[in-house]
Amino acid sequence: MAEPEFTATGVRIGKRLRSLTRAGQVRISDGRLELLTSYGSEIDSAPVQAVRASRPWFAPDDRALADLNGQRYLLTLGDHDPAPGEPGPPAARRFIEAVRRAAGRDSRADRAG
């Protein structure tokens, strides 16, 4: 198995108003996005080309939306990248860029202030 292109731990993953896990994992590896529980069980996964990642309107900077297999998940990552060697999830902005990069989409064209 290749080294993951993106990994975040300690991520709150929710669907609609329901929290699925408060310390989940998000991983992009081998062209797939995986949402995992804190125990490593798969919540959902899909090829990155089929995933839509974005920022929700009027939400804090630590939130990202991921649409996989017809389901919309709200991910609460960090509001800023942790210092090197410090624990904590990376910023939501970095997750969105990683999805676009892995899918072959140019993230620079989609940036909004």
Side-chain angles (χ1 to χ4, degrees):
M1 180 185 247
E3 185 71 23
E5 299 158 29
F6 178 86
T7 303
T9 57
V11 178
R12 180 182 293 251
I13 301 172
K15 188 162 66 169
R16 297 191 182 248
L17 298 176
R18 184 173 161 222
S19 177
L20 301 175
T21 183
R22 294 187 317 177
Q25 300 175 30
V26 176
R27 183 170 48 208
I28 299 174
S29 180
D30 297 328
R32 289 189 70 78
L33 172 69
E34 299 175 306
L35 303 178
L36 307 169
T37 67
S38 56
Y39 298 108
S41 300
E42 185 177 290
I43 296 171
D44 205 347
S45 71
V48 288
Q49 289 83 7
V51 174
R52 187 171 150 246
S54 61
R55 290 262 335 267
W57 286 23
F58 305 110
D61 289 340
D62 63 346
R63 305 273 167 83
L65 293 173
D67 293 329
L68 291 92
N69 302 321
Q71 300 291 322
R72 176 170 287 175
Y73 296 94
L74 178 63
L75 310 176
T76 305
L77 296 113
D79 55 355
H80 62 280
D81 288 326
E86 294 292 318
R93 171 188 46 78
R94 211 169 66 128
F95 163 72
I96 294 167
E97 289 173 1
V99 169
R100 291 178 178 160
R101 191 171 43 252
R105 296 180 221 137
D106 186 9
S107 62
R108 287 175 287 154
D110 298 333
R111 277 197 191 145

